[in-house]
Amino acid sequence: MSAANVHGSDARPVESHVHGHDEGHHDGDELPHASLRGYLIGFLLSVFLTAIPFWLVIGEVFPDKRITTAIIVVFAIAQMLVHVVYFLHLDTRSQAGWNMLAAIFTIVLVVIAISGSLWVMYHMNTNMMPMDEHEMRNQP
């Protein structure tokens, strides 16, 4: 056995498809590469998008709670987008846009499920038989 084979290395020539570039992959199919810079940007944006709504609630900045709620919802949506882009690396380029299409489809299904549930609960509440206090006390 030669010294090269003892350590597990062969003297074979290096082939051009070692990194998988010649195996039918297209440049658009590659996953985006994560970097420390991208993670730091995502982290800082997440901290910012969490701190501002926290400050709005603790400081009671707006007298109307509906305005505060609307702003918090906008910040929550922005933070979800930051997580999707900077941490999940989901964009229109990965997998030729199929990942983004799957994410949009999932979001549509979640919105339908949540809005349908809220609609059903609202109508069940409004269509229940009204009772006064006397009737409620005499219930079995």
Side-chain angles (χ1 to χ4, degrees), residues 24 53 61 77 95 97 114-115:
V61 176
I77 292 170
Q95 299 293 323
I114 290 173
S115 60

Side-chain angles (χ1 to χ4, degrees), residues 118-130:
L118 291 173
W119 180 74
V120 166
M121 288 187 287
Y122 172 77
H123 283 282
M124 285 183 69
N125 185 40
T126 57
N127 292 327
M128 300 239 351
M129 283 181 54

Side-chain angles (χ1 to χ4, degrees), residues 32 39 80 82-91 94 99:
Y39 283 125
M80 287 180 356
V82 165
H83 284 251
V84 165
V85 171
Y86 286 99
F87 299 121
L88 297 177
H89 308 291
L90 185 64
D91 60 7
S94 64
N99 285 343

Side-chain angles (χ1 to χ4, degrees), residues 16-30:
S16 65
H17 67 287
V18 170
H19 296 288
H21 293 294
D22 292 336
E23 295 177 3
H25 296 290
H26 302 288
D27 289 338
D29 289 345
E30 292 182 20

Side-chain angles (χ1 to χ4, degrees), residues 25-57:
H25 296 290
H26 302 288
D27 289 338
D29 289 345
E30 292 182 20
L31 294 174
H33 297 285
S35 67
L36 181 62
R37 180 178 179 266
Y39 283 125
L40 285 176
I41 290 172
F43 175 73
L44 292 175
L45 284 172
S46 295
V47 168
F48 174 76
L49 292 171
T50 301
I52 297 298
F54 186 77
W55 169 73
L56 289 175
V57 171

